[in-house]
Amino acid sequence: MKIHHLRNATLVIETGDKVILVDPMLGKKGTAGPTFTLFRFKPQRNPIVDLPTNAMPIVEKTTHCLLTHLHPDHLDKEAENFLRTRQIPVICSVKDEAIVRKRGLNVTQTVDYWKETTFLGGKIQGIPAVHGYGFVAKPMGNVMGFYIALPNEKSLYLSADTIYTDDVHQVLTQLKPEISVVACGSAQLDLFQPLLMRMDDILKFVKNAPNQVIANHLEAVNHCPTRREQLKTELSKIGLSNKVFIPNDGESITY
């Protein structure tokens, strides 16, 4: 299995002859959506960086697309156009199916929470995700993580945009994924508590993950203050640097 980190939460999983695009934000810098903060962090239209130059040649090979939720930093207009024109098979939450179909995308499979279904010759199940601490999670809407076990590959947990919950803990400690992806930007709006794990919960996730961790959702949208170097520093303090891959945009890793 080869995992390409492109930008923010957009990644590509290559397994055999299948190429799975996850949460695509494919637009140029500043075209995916408005600034998410006006005064807590510098207002900038999102994304705040361009895609790396090697991204689209990888994306062009896509055979399937997996969506955790429908926020514009996980599915932008450029990505919708790409998926629609090619009628690429889309896999999403049962709760998102109607909207995704309405946008003209080719939904070929839906996933429900904690229900295991077949997927590309292996298995996939939906994992609850809570997009924020306290009541801000409600307006953030439905989000779904995925636990994926494909033939002859390491098991993979895409935790999606979530804080650390009992469900996340259950996946890490009971399903024991061999690769776990965690959103580390600690996103915040101008008001309310963070929308993603604070640093203490990121470190807790890493400690409890049974195997390797990939850190994403960093330095690509204006409301995510956590920097790669900051995360590296915190991980080194607890001696877990070797457990976590913090990719630069356009970087890949093979498991």
Side-chain angles (χ1 to χ4, degrees):
M1 179 186 289
K2 188 171 188 179
I3 296 178
H4 306 269
H5 167 74
L6 301 186
R7 176 180 59 185
N8 198 49
T10 305
L11 59 89
V12 172
I13 303 160
E14 283 197 71
T15 169
D17 62 348
K18 304 294 190 290
V19 180
I20 308 160
L21 175 63
V22 181
D23 284 358
M25 175 173 59
L26 303 180
K28 289 184 168 64
K29 180 178 171 180
T31 62
T35 182
F36 291 129
T37 67
L38 293 173
F39 54 83
R40 179 171 261 161
F41 308 115
K42 179 184 174 184
Q44 293 171 277
R45 284 188 61 83
N46 288 301
I48 58 173
V49 292
D50 271 318
L51 273 174
T53 54
N54 65 336
M56 286 315 294
I58 296 168
V59 170
E60 292 285 348
K61 298 190 288 182
T62 299
T63 61
H64 296 77
C65 178
L66 193 57
L67 301 175
T68 66
H69 64 304
L70 305 181
H71 289 170
D73 59 328
H74 294 254
L75 179 68
D76 65 357
K77 294 296 181 197
E78 191 75 22
E80 284 184 24
N81 290 337
F82 173 83
L83 297 170
R84 189 186 305 111
T85 55
R86 289 164 178 78
Q87 281 297 290
I88 285 168
V90 172
I91 301 93
C92 65
S93 161
V94 289
K95 293 190 174 181
D96 290 333
E97 179 183 10
I99 297 175
V100 176
R101 284 192 190 281
K102 196 172 177 184
R103 294 182 188 179
L105 304 191
N106 177 27
V107 178
T108 56
Q109 182 174 353
T110 58
V111 185
D112 207 347
Y113 293 110
W114 291 120
K115 290 187 180 162
E116 189 176 85
T117 52
T118 58
F119 177 60
L120 303 182
K123 303 283 187 185
I124 188 170
Q125 59 178 303
I127 308 298
V130 178
H131 200 339
Y133 295 90
F135 59 77
V136 74
K138 194 166 175 64
M140 286 297 103
N142 160 67
V143 185
M144 178 178 278
F146 298 103
Y147 176 81
I148 303 168
L150 297 175
N152 308 311
E153 298 285 17
K154 292 183 183 295
S155 55
L156 175 65
Y157 174 34
L158 301 170
S159 60
D161 280 13
T162 189
I163 59 173
Y164 198 99
T165 64
D166 290 343
D167 293 309
V168 171
H169 188 76
Q170 185 177 331
V171 175
L172 296 177
T173 56
Q174 294 180 23
L175 296 181
K176 298 189 183 303
E178 290 164 286
I179 308 161
S180 301
V181 181
V182 59
C184 294
S186 306
Q188 291 175 269
L189 302 177
D190 282 330
L191 304 170
F192 313 118
Q193 297 188 71
L195 310 177
L196 299 171
M197 293 182 204
R198 299 186 186 97
M199 185 59 73
D200 58 337
D201 277 339
I202 294 169
L203 299 178
K204 183 177 175 183
F205 184 103
V206 172
K207 284 177 186 171
N208 290 331
N211 298 290
Q212 292 301 118
V213 174
I214 298 174
N216 71 359
H217 216 305
L218 290 162
E219 300 181 41
V221 286
N222 85 301
H223 63 313
C224 286
T226 304
R227 317 291 296 176
R228 288 179 174 93
E229 286 305 319
Q230 179 189 354
L231 181 55
K232 285 175 187 172
T233 300
E234 295 300 323
L235 289 166
S236 66
K237 284 181 189 172
I238 58 171
L240 291 178
S241 301
N242 292 338
K243 194 175 181 181
V244 185
F245 177 52
I246 308 173
N248 291 314
D249 292 354
E251 203 171 351
S252 303
I253 187 167
T254 302
Y255 293 97

